[in-house]
Amino acid sequence: MSDFTLKAESRSDIGKGASRRLRRLADKIPAIVYGGKEDAKSITLEHDEINNMLDDEAAYSSIINLVIDGETEEVLIKDLQRHPFKLKLLHVDFKRIVRGENMEANVPLHFINEDKAPGKKEGGVMSHQLTTVEISCRPRNLPEYIEVDLGEMNIGDSIHLSEITLPEGVELVAFMHGDVEDNDLTVANMVPPAVEEVEDDADEVDETEVPASEQKGDEGDSEEKNED
């Protein structure tokens, strides 16, 4: 498991106006820490520090050592708010980790051996239906990612949640709160290659030809002229 550390400061000046000033004047962003037996806590983060940390995919599913005014709390990122068109973070939600208790987290899926799949060699197209899964486990068992082996897939094959090999001590949240069959979502499937439609030349219209209606009109005019 990767080791991530973030420094933060407690924040008492809250509200939309205060948050805007924080982002604009200090290049910092507001955040909140909640969960466990302690009250929620408003904090401030250095924007560039957490933004750079998030370049590592593992940061989204790893326990982070959040140092607030010198005291360390173990947390997970639960939600991120980003600017709609600027490369800026606006707000972060952290959830506390409680050692000895199960935790829930979203973990990325890493697809392997796709190029070795028989269906791929036959021109099939792999479609990834899910890129993350929500899991439940003890903090010590939290994986950075879960591998999905696509090496045996033929055209028309699918892999479902129930077919994923999970690390020891890890469960899928989808199967904890409902019937397995109802929640057994498709993770990936191999679809046939797209077939290009060839247009029939006979159906093409030569735009240089005179429309039939005009042709008839010309014939009628000719007949009238002949009658004259």
Side-chain angles (χ1 to χ4, degrees):
M1 183 180 298
S2 297
D3 185 20
F4 296 96
T5 300
L6 274 178
K7 293 182 180 180
E9 299 174 353
S10 296
R11 179 169 60 99
S12 57
D13 187 11
I14 59 177
K16 292 183 178 179
S19 296
R20 283 195 293 267
R21 287 192 297 273
L22 193 67
R23 300 184 190 104
R24 185 176 66 253
L25 301 178
D27 199 25
K28 297 182 179 181
I29 59 171
I32 190 169
V33 183
Y34 67 94
K37 297 180 180 179
E38 299 181 37
D39 294 334
K41 186 182 297 184
S42 296
I43 60 174
T44 298
L45 301 170
E46 293 284 348
H47 177 274
D48 290 347
E49 184 180 1
I50 183 170
N51 201 41
N52 291 337
M53 186 189 77
L54 294 175
D55 287 339
D56 188 336
E57 179 194 45
Y60 294 89
S61 56
S62 293
I63 295 174
I64 298 168
N65 296 313
L66 185 63
V67 184
I68 307 172
D69 300 332
E71 296 185 2
T72 302
E73 298 193 43
E74 292 183 316
V75 299
L76 274 178
I77 294 174
K78 294 300 292 184
D79 189 45
L80 292 169
Q81 294 179 27
R82 298 181 184 273
H83 195 281
F85 55 87
K86 295 180 181 179
L87 297 177
K88 288 284 187 179
L89 291 169
L90 299 179
H91 193 274
V92 186
D93 290 0
F94 296 102
K95 187 173 182 180
R96 293 186 181 98
I97 298 302
V98 181
R99 292 287 173 175
E101 296 183 7
N102 274 18
M103 53 176 283
E104 295 183 356
N106 287 311
V107 176
L109 297 176
H110 282 191
F111 297 96
I112 62 173
N113 296 325
E114 180 174 331
D115 291 337
K116 297 179 181 179
K120 189 77 171 181
K121 295 177 181 179
E122 295 174 4
V125 178
M126 190 70 73
S127 176
H128 300 159
Q129 303 297 317
L130 297 178
T131 56
T132 63
V133 290
E134 189 174 13
I135 64 168
S136 175
C137 65
R138 292 295 176 91
R140 66 176 181 274
N141 295 327
L142 178 64
E144 291 183 10
Y145 57 85
I146 294 175
E147 287 188 344
V148 180
D149 192 345
L150 307 176
E152 301 298 324
M153 293 187 68
N154 293 290
I155 292 177
D157 287 350
S158 298
I159 290 181
H160 294 81
L161 284 176
S162 61
E163 298 172 276
I164 294 178
T165 301
L166 298 172
E168 183 179 357
V170 175
E171 295 181 88
L172 291 174
V173 172
F175 296 159
M176 296 170 58
H177 305 311
D179 184 72
V180 172
E181 186 174 346
D182 292 339
N183 293 292
D184 197 12
L185 301 177
T186 300
V187 175
N189 55 352
M190 182 77 75
V191 298
V195 178
E196 295 184 4
E197 295 185 3
V198 180
E199 295 184 0
D200 190 348
D201 293 340
D203 294 334
E204 293 183 0
V205 177
D206 186 351
E207 295 180 356
T208 61
E209 293 182 357
V210 180
S213 58
E214 293 186 13
Q215 290 177 352
K216 291 181 180 179
D218 291 341
E219 292 174 358
D221 291 342
S222 298
E223 289 178 1
E224 288 179 1
K225 288 177 181 179
N226 292 335
E227 287 178 1
D228 291 343

